[in-house]
Amino acid sequence: MKGTNHGLKYIMSNHIIPSVEFHRTIPERRTPDELKKIAHIKRFLELLTGDRKFREQLKANPDQADQIAKSRALDLDLKKFSSKFQTPLVCAGQDPEFPLAVLWREWIDDLIKFRSMLREDGYSSTADPRFNAWRKRQVERTNSEMGAVRGDAITHPIFSFELSKGCSVGCWFCALGAKSFEGYYQRTPKNVSLWRETLNTSVELFGSAVQTSFCYWATEPFDNPNYLDFLQDYKDIVGVLPQTTSAVSTRDLVWTRRLMDMIKAGNALPSRFSIINSKTLRDLHRMFSPEELVRNELLMQLKESSYGKARAGKTLKKVNSPGKKEAGLQVNEGVSSIACVSGYLVSMMDRTIKLVSPCQASEQWPMGFRIHDEGTFGDAKDFGAFITGSISKHMPSSLPIDKPVAFRNGLAYEQNENGFILSSQASAHSFTGDEFVARLGDMVAEGIHSPAQIVGALVDSGADIFGVRGTLSDLYDKGFLEDMVV
Ligand code: SF4
């Protein structure tokens, strides 16, 4: 799949990433009856997590769960979903089976598999191997920094393109710290041409891995009235329709239906709707049947939600008010992040580009992502030049041997009997082995020695050169060494 903008044209629709194909087959592998049940379970769970009145009604009358669900047009035999809805008499001494729970779990298992596949699809043979290795290090680092469960939820898309500036929605909890809306990327012939050329350059540099990308960040997609037209360009060039996440899905139904039709046309990533108030949840449920929304995740961000908010961006320093008891108004205690890109954050309006990767929000990185480099571009050539330059500058093919190494920021170092332990807030990793391991740990922890010096000192005292080099490389590849180039 080689070519240039000036000659051979990529036909990306012939190179669809496996995760998109897999996602398409998820409903196809279910019977119509199973799909209907899944759609109704999904809506039931949305009401349970997003509608306080429904939740309380159910809690007070678990034995009338089916009727309560029916009052919301749901057709479910909830005794087949959870023991919570079985009377103690029915459960006693029996081993109840929950076929609806099995159906739901298998559906969720498929979605989790899709997520893992999407993360793998961010590596492509077209991309510079140095970029692939860098991205792998960021994946490893985030897993260690945030813990396996949170880390596993991040798909590390390689591009996010913003098509507007700021956000008109203004959520108090915006973990990306979106500023007020300032305008959108107009659909002028010049802008369309820059957009298309930028996408072409991205595809030239990264091939099918670009299909993991999306077209919003700290922005609301619907704020650009031509968002869907830009998305159509994206599909023409990149080969798939990217994910959309909108908090104003009921603002313009024509728009929402058009998006859903574009998704139905195929080669599309799933889209999501953020629910920021009870009216949006009610309207969305009224306007679309459970079956119509079965493939759209609803993110419960409303105050009636049973979930708290991530601590990052606008909420990084927020002190929970003791008077407000609702979970949806609380900010979770530990710092977090909702950032996902390990690659490039592009503002088409400002013509800026940043090399970023997710991290726990902190004083240094309040928005929950590291900025490894940033620049501007006037045209697609500049855009490509920034990317290739950033790869050369920030993504060595292996651990540089002549620069001091240190454990990454945020890791606590501790010696133990046969080596050392590195721990973050979310995980701990033990390194043990030959005698040299403990000394190697000490030298890296000092943060002043280069790998060449560490290898030299340890080999002089009798360590095996391959063992020392291998351990240093492993530490680097697994994201334990700081790789921010300053
Ligand atoms: S959470 Fe989304 S919709 Fe809300 S302010 Fe941030 S970017 Fe805008």
Side-chain angles (χ1 to χ4, degrees), residues 167 169-171 173-174 178 217-220 247 314:
C167 176
V169 186
C171 307
F173 53 80
C174 184
W217 183 250
T219 52
E220 161 53 53
K314 285 188 188 171

Side-chain angles (χ1 to χ4, degrees), residues 327-339:
L329 291 174
Q330 307 290 316
V331 179
N332 299 335
E333 202 162 309
V335 287
S336 181
S337 168
I338 63 158

Side-chain angles (χ1 to χ4, degrees), residues 166-179 217-220 223 245-248 274 276 301 314 338:
C167 176
S168 69
V169 186
C171 307
W172 65 269
F173 53 80
C174 184
L176 292 174
K179 301 230 164 65
W217 183 250
T219 52
E220 161 53 53
D223 279 346
T245 303
S246 173
V248 292
S274 282
I276 53 168
Q301 301 280 20
K314 285 188 188 171
I338 63 158

Side-chain angles (χ1 to χ4, degrees), residues 316-343:
L316 181 60
K317 295 192 174 161
K318 184 130 183 104
V319 178
N320 285 321
S321 146
K324 292 180 179 168
K325 293 280 177 248
E326 292 105 321
L329 291 174
Q330 307 290 316
V331 179
N332 299 335
E333 202 162 309
V335 287
S336 181
S337 168
I338 63 158
C340 57
V341 172
S342 277

Side-chain angles (χ1 to χ4, degrees), residues 146-442:
M146 302 184 181
V149 175
R150 172 77 192 103
D152 199 44
I154 304 175
T155 57
H156 298 265
I158 71 162
F159 279 103
S160 159
F161 300 98
E162 287 187 319
L163 292 162
S164 42
K165 189 168 177 184
C167 176
S168 69
V169 186
C171 307
W172 65 269
F173 53 80
C174 184
L176 292 174
K179 301 230 164 65
S180 304
F181 179 63
E182 282 185 42
Y184 61 90
Y185 190 60
Q186 309 264 335
R187 200 163 167 79
T188 61
K190 218 171 140 196
N191 278 356
V192 172
S193 149
L194 177 64
W195 172 235
R196 295 182 69 96
E197 283 165 14
T198 302
L199 294 173
N200 267 317
T201 302
S202 308
V203 167
E204 265 188 27
L205 290 170
F206 295 98
S208 63
V210 182
Q211 292 176 358
T212 62
S213 310
F214 57 105
C215 302
Y216 59 92
W217 183 250
T219 52
E220 161 53 53
F222 284 34
D223 279 346
N224 188 320
N226 293 111
Y227 172 74
L228 293 177
D229 304 314
F230 284 114
L231 238 51
Q232 193 56 55
D233 295 329
Y234 180 101
K235 190 175 180 192
D236 290 348
I237 294 163
V238 177
V240 298
L241 195 76
Q243 173 179 273
T244 291
T245 303
S246 173
V248 292
S249 52
T250 54
R251 190 192 271 173
D252 181 344
L253 276 188
V254 174
W255 200 102
T256 306
R257 292 230 180 250
R258 188 176 157 207
L259 172 67
M260 289 169 108
D261 286 345
M262 287 169 82
I263 295 170
K264 265 195 224 140
N267 288 348
L269 280 108
S271 280
R272 314 179 303 174
F273 298 129
S274 282
I275 307 297
I276 53 168
N277 54 46
S278 52
K279 184 175 182 317
T280 308
L281 183 62
R282 265 198 320 274
D283 287 351
L284 209 56
H285 278 178
R286 186 168 44 79
M287 290 162 185
F288 297 96
S289 69
E291 289 82 352
E292 279 177 301
L293 288 181
V294 70
R295 309 195 74 185
N296 300 98
E297 187 185 354
L298 303 193
L299 306 169
M300 294 300 169
Q301 301 280 20
L302 67 176
K303 77 171 184 206
E304 290 82 0
S305 169
S306 52
Y307 297 118
K309 302 286 185 282
R311 188 171 287 281
K314 285 188 188 171
T315 56
L316 181 60
K317 295 192 174 161
K318 184 130 183 104
V319 178
N320 285 321
S321 146
K324 292 180 179 168
K325 293 280 177 248
E326 292 105 321
L329 291 174
Q330 307 290 316
V331 179
N332 299 335
E333 202 162 309
V335 287
S336 181
S337 168
I338 63 158
C340 57
V341 172
S342 277
Y344 298 92
L345 204 56
V346 182
S347 165
M348 292 306 296
M349 275 196 72
D350 288 347
R351 298 189 185 176
T352 57
I353 176 165
K354 297 184 176 85
L355 175 65
V356 299
S357 62
C359 66
Q360 296 286 56
S362 63
E363 286 280 338
Q364 187 182 14
W365 306 118
M367 303 307 164
F369 58 93
R370 291 173 161 211
I371 302 173
H372 301 255
D373 202 352
E374 50 192 318
T376 55
F377 61 96
D379 54 26
K381 203 164 153 245
D382 292 352
F383 174 82
F386 174 86
I387 291 173
T388 49
S390 70
I391 291 174
S392 297
K393 188 171 164 197
H394 297 273
M395 306 177 190
S397 50
S398 56
L399 176 64
I401 58 161
D402 53 350
K403 297 201 175 92
V405 283
F407 292 121
R408 71 163 200 264
N409 291 337
L411 275 181
Y413 172 77
E414 198 187 323
Q415 289 177 336
N416 79 354
E417 213 178 312
N418 301 313
F420 58 93
I421 295 172
L422 294 174
S423 39
S424 68
Q425 279 181 341
S427 58
H429 311 267
S430 169
F431 302 83
T432 53
D434 291 350
E435 249 176 61
F436 75 85
V437 176
R439 259 198 86 202
L440 181 145
D442 283 351

